[in-house]
Structure formats: C-alpha cells, structure tokens
Amino acid sequence: SFLRMVALLLESSQPELQQLATRSFMAFANIDEDTPSYHRRYDFFISQFSAMCFWNHGDERLIRRQRLSGLQGLQGVIRKTVSDELQANIWEEVHMNKLVPALLFNMQQQPGGEGGEGSNRRSDNEEEDPASLAETCLRDLVGRAGFGNLNSVMTPMFDYFDKGDLW
C-alpha cells in the first residue's frame, strides 16, 4: 500500500529519501476521505517524524531540512488524526510524549541551529523556519484538543520544561 511504501522510505538512512517520504505523506494527509479507516495506525509515523525533528547530523542546511521534514510530517499526522474520532488515539501518552517535546525542541532552537532561549524572530515563510512551523503545529494541536484532551498536551509540555530547567 501507499503508506507502507512511505514507511519504507522513512526507514532509510538517507535523509533525501526520508524527505521524499515526508512530502508523500503530506500529499496523503491533505486528502479528505469520505469514509474513515478503522485499521490505519500512525504510531510508526509519529515516532519517525519526531526523531527527524531532533536530527543533528551533517551540515546546518541538512539539519534544517531534516527537522523541517519531521515537523511537516507531524503536522500531517495531526491534520489526519486529530479531527477523526475513529482514528488511533493521538492523545495517548505514548504519542504525546514524542510529539510535544519534538515541537518544543524546535521552537527553542535559534536560527543557525544553536540551542538557546528561543527565537523572537518570526519568519515570513514558516515553511523554511523550523521554530515557526513547530509553533504553528503546537497551536494547531492545542486548538484541536478538547477539554478532556488538554491534559494530554500539557503534561509532556511541563515535563519538557522541568527536564530542561526552562522555568
């Protein structure tokens, strides 16, 4: 199936193939489906895209592209699963403990790949700025969380702040 091929590309050790997989997954995520798919699981994609968000190998340009691809993939997963009650529950702790720290990590990164207090710079083109894209994804995630799911987002966020002494 299409998603199996995307998964195989994501398993590759070549960043270019992983980025191709992300673009393919985004095309899939943008498709509105008339009937829900009860059997589709996105666990693997959440893990892979989250790992890509922490990519730290190669030159600065490759790191930026790889992290952007990871963020775009997470954005696609959020778009595909959050609004569909019949999908695998993205609000589960195992998923949020991967997704939220990946977003916060990229929001914290300053331009140029250096970690720091975060960037106050807003990019006009969030497609090229991991911090802006991560912020957009987090806003989308929190905005789509119902009252009962808000704790699922906040707990990993507070854990991230605690572990990084970011208070």
Side-chain angles (χ1 to χ4, degrees), residues 20-167:
L20 174 64
T22 301
R23 288 190 299 274
S24 299
F25 185 83
M26 288 300 295
F28 167 77
N30 288 325
I31 297 171
D32 288 329
E33 298 180 64
D34 294 333
T35 58
S37 176
Y38 299 99
H39 64 280
R40 197 174 294 144
R41 304 275 308 175
Y42 295 98
D43 303 10
F44 172 79
F45 294 102
I46 293 171
S47 295
Q48 289 298 112
F49 291 137
S50 294
M52 289 170 67
C53 289
F54 292 101
W55 185 270
N56 203 22
H57 307 291
D59 64 6
E60 188 177 310
R61 187 169 174 244
L62 176 61
I63 291 170
R64 181 183 195 82
R65 283 194 331 246
Q66 195 71 352
R67 288 182 181 175
L68 276 169
S69 288
L71 290 167
Q72 290 166 347
L74 289 177
Q75 186 177 41
V77 169
I78 291 168
R79 184 177 300 140
K80 201 70 174 168
T81 60
V82 167
S83 61
D84 189 351
E85 294 295 325
L86 300 172
Q87 290 294 341
N89 194 351
I90 193 172
W91 304 111
E92 292 175 1
E93 182 179 357
V94 67
H95 301 309
M96 287 292 122
N97 283 340
K98 294 174 186 171
L99 207 150
V100 172
L103 297 176
L104 293 173
F105 174 79
N106 280 280
M107 287 172 65
Q108 187 182 9
Q109 299 304 300
Q110 292 183 357
E114 298 295 320
E117 296 299 314
S119 170
N120 291 332
R121 179 181 73 91
R122 292 290 298 186
S123 173
D124 292 334
N125 185 4
E126 74 180 25
E127 294 292 321
E128 296 179 10
D129 182 19
S132 293
L133 183 56
E135 182 180 337
T136 300
C137 289
L138 187 61
R139 285 178 187 270
D140 190 31
L141 185 66
V142 172
R144 293 177 186 232
F147 183 73
N149 294 325
L150 201 52
N151 190 42
S152 300
V153 178
M154 298 308 291
T155 300
M157 191 178 299
F158 292 144
D159 288 345
Y160 182 86
F161 293 155
D162 282 343
K163 289 176 184 171
D165 290 326
L166 299 173
W167 291 105

